[in-house]
Amino acid sequence: MHDNDALFDALRRSADAGVVDAIEDLVRNGRDEELARLNALGLATARGLDEEKVIAALLHASRLGLFEMSWNILCPSCGGVLGANATLKSVRQQDYHCAFCALDSEPTLDDTVEVSFTVSPRIRSIGAHDPDSLGFWDYHRQVFYGSGLAFPEPGMFDALSRKALLEAVELKAGERMILALQLPAETVIIFDPVTHTAHLVESAGEPTADRREITMIFTSARAEVGRTTLAPGPLRLLLDNRTERRALVGVYVAGPEMCSLIGGRRPFLTAKRLLTNQTFRDLYRTETLDVEQRLKIMSLTFLFTDLKGSTDLYERVGDLVAYDLVRSHFQVLHEIVASEAGAVVKTIGDAVMATFPEPRRAVSAALRMRDSMRQLNARRGAEELILKIGIHEGPCLAVNLNDRQDYFGQTVNIASRVQALATEDSIFATQAIVRDADSARLLSARGVDATLQALTLRGVGDRVPVFAMT
């Protein structure tokens, strides 16, 4: 425990003290399931903490070895974990298969790749560190489902699970078993969350007294979902576990009770949000994507800035003064971007490229940037730092360029072109930005008008409406 105290003391030197206190309390007193796949946003909500500070603290905690970070591929339907990866580099680009839902899906960083945190076994031992020791539902809570699933409260959970689950059996490695049950007049799913093996039994016809048989073989290889149509009545399941691990076979009734049991959702930390987090970029830098990796993001907001007349500035005030001014401008922009849940992707000369998880954050950052530059100029009594800003939102690819995580696609090109159109001390944005409901409310609250400009973007085939925020 003394070593743990030293690690938490080290964490307090790099993260918010109040957040660290909450994390330490959770590690010492929290339930195992809370520490198996810790939901950063859930922790912030439960403890009344700032989300960005919680994310930053957990990233620093992972660097110190208090937690292990996992990039989990989720089924977009049931929220089950289809693949857990220690780094984003391990995420495959091809489809992932959910046997429980009989669904193939391609991972997108927006909503089907979550980032969760598991307490390190050298800090505290929990059931998830030894999955074969977990009971049926504990395995589902701590291992199979992602951190975005919100199970009902215990009393309601027990009532629903009794109706949704016909049978649950543990099948040891190499064990065979015969399970007799009565099929209802509803669809039944037979599923093992360990091997991800499933069989779907659809109901059709009048009830029968004839006994039928279905054989399920559990192996380490991916199996296609079996499908059978049977009338309600007796069924004998022949179960054969040919793996070196146990299987946890559940027979579920695919009805409203099951939907209520596993249908609850809560916000979770997505890969997209983490990639646009400044602390993550600072701590992990080139450790995110492989050189050949191309991962889709369906919606990301890009903000480009540039200083007008920076060459003239160097000639007018001299290299040393100009350098200090430009450096101060970069520091202000970095701080604003980070405070708006964004991240600076790179700087090019006097220009900045930044990303944000949503348009409103980028608009807020842009307005604050413009105000900050005006305040800097007012203190110096001269218009020396004139910032031109462009914003656009859309799909893109997360890639590795020049040994760092970057973005590629037409959305990036358009955002850069919009910035190039911006005139003195102006913020230009596309329709996707100004028509976003949260952005529109922010502009209205700030008394900022978005005026349509009769402009054409260089290198973009279709005409893209551009608005000036004044």
Side-chain angles (χ1 to χ4, degrees), residues 120-373:
S120 170
R122 69 189 184 95
I123 302 300
R124 173 178 159 180
S125 178
I126 61 172
H129 296 146
D130 181 17
D132 287 343
S133 69
L134 293 171
F136 184 83
W137 282 118
D138 282 336
Y139 186 92
H140 286 76
R141 289 175 182 272
Q142 297 188 40
V143 179
F144 180 70
Y145 285 110
S147 66
L149 185 68
F151 283 104
E153 293 300 315
M156 180 64 71
F157 179 89
D158 293 340
L160 290 170
S161 63
R162 283 194 295 269
K163 294 181 179 179
L165 188 66
L166 287 179
E167 294 284 352
V169 296
E170 178 178 335
L171 207 61
K172 294 183 172 60
E175 185 179 10
R176 296 178 180 178
M177 181 182 294
I178 297 176
L179 183 64
L181 52 89
Q182 193 76 13
L183 279 179
E186 297 174 271
T187 298
V188 166
I189 302 171
I190 308 162
F191 177 68
D192 167 40
V194 181
T195 61
H196 290 228
T197 302
H199 196 104
L200 183 69
V201 184
E202 295 181 302
S203 177
E206 294 298 319
T208 179
D210 296 335
R211 187 174 65 187
R212 287 73 45 87
E213 290 186 355
I214 292 177
T215 299
M216 289 187 67
I217 300 174
F218 304 93
T219 68
S220 299
R222 169 182 163 176
E224 295 299 322
V225 176
R227 295 177 183 272
T228 306
T229 300
L230 295 174
L235 173 69
R236 188 165 71 168
L237 275 178
L238 308 179
L239 306 175
D240 185 359
N241 182 9
R242 299 182 183 178
T243 73
E244 296 180 354
R245 293 187 60 187
R246 67 170 181 170
L248 292 174
V249 185
V251 183
Y252 302 86
V253 179
E257 289 83 8
M258 189 177 78
C259 292
S260 298
L261 190 68
I262 63 172
R265 296 293 183 268
R266 60 176 178 167
F268 59 88
L269 179 60
T270 64
K272 180 184 86 169
R273 179 161 180 182
L274 194 59
L275 290 179
T276 63
N277 178 276
Q278 191 64 55
T279 302
F280 175 76
R281 292 189 68 98
D282 291 343
L283 289 178
Y284 289 84
R285 298 186 183 276
T286 62
E287 297 179 25
T288 51
L289 294 165
D290 199 0
V291 173
E292 298 301 323
Q293 226 171 349
R294 311 284 188 271
L295 294 175
K296 288 184 180 179
I297 296 178
M298 303 309 294
S299 172
L300 193 63
T301 303
F302 291 88
L303 180 149
F304 282 82
T305 74
D306 197 11
L307 283 175
K308 179 180 183 296
S310 58
T311 302
D312 293 340
L313 174 65
Y314 279 86
E315 293 179 355
R316 186 169 63 254
V317 302
D319 289 348
L320 186 59
V321 174
Y323 173 77
D324 286 340
L325 281 172
V326 172
R327 187 176 62 174
S328 297
H329 132 275
F330 275 136
Q331 181 178 349
V332 170
L333 265 53
H334 273 73
E335 290 173 355
I336 291 174
V337 169
S339 69
E340 292 291 349
V344 173
V345 178
K346 56 187 173 185
T347 58
I348 311 164
D350 299 328
V352 167
M353 172 185 174
T355 57
F356 298 85
E358 56 191 27
R360 178 186 63 84
R361 292 286 199 172
V363 171
S364 177
L367 295 173
R368 291 174 58 190
M369 288 174 180
R370 182 166 64 181
D371 289 345
S372 295
M373 292 305 104

Side-chain angles (χ1 to χ4, degrees), residues 71 73 86-93 107-109 113 271-272 274-276 280-281 284-297 300 345 396-408:
W71 303 74
I73 313 302
T87 70
L88 187 56
K89 291 181 180 180
S90 305
V91 175
R92 306 192 313 269
Q93 295 166 251
T108 61
L109 302 183
V113 182
K272 180 184 86 169
L274 194 59
L275 290 179
T276 63
F280 175 76
R281 292 189 68 98
Y284 289 84
R285 298 186 183 276
T286 62
E287 297 179 25
T288 51
L289 294 165
D290 199 0
V291 173
E292 298 301 323
Q293 226 171 349
R294 311 284 188 271
L295 294 175
K296 288 184 180 179
I297 296 178
L300 193 63
V345 178
C396 63
L397 292 176
V399 300
N400 186 317
L401 291 176
N402 300 320
D403 293 328
R404 68 179 171 207
Q405 189 239 309
D406 208 329
Y407 300 93
F408 177 82

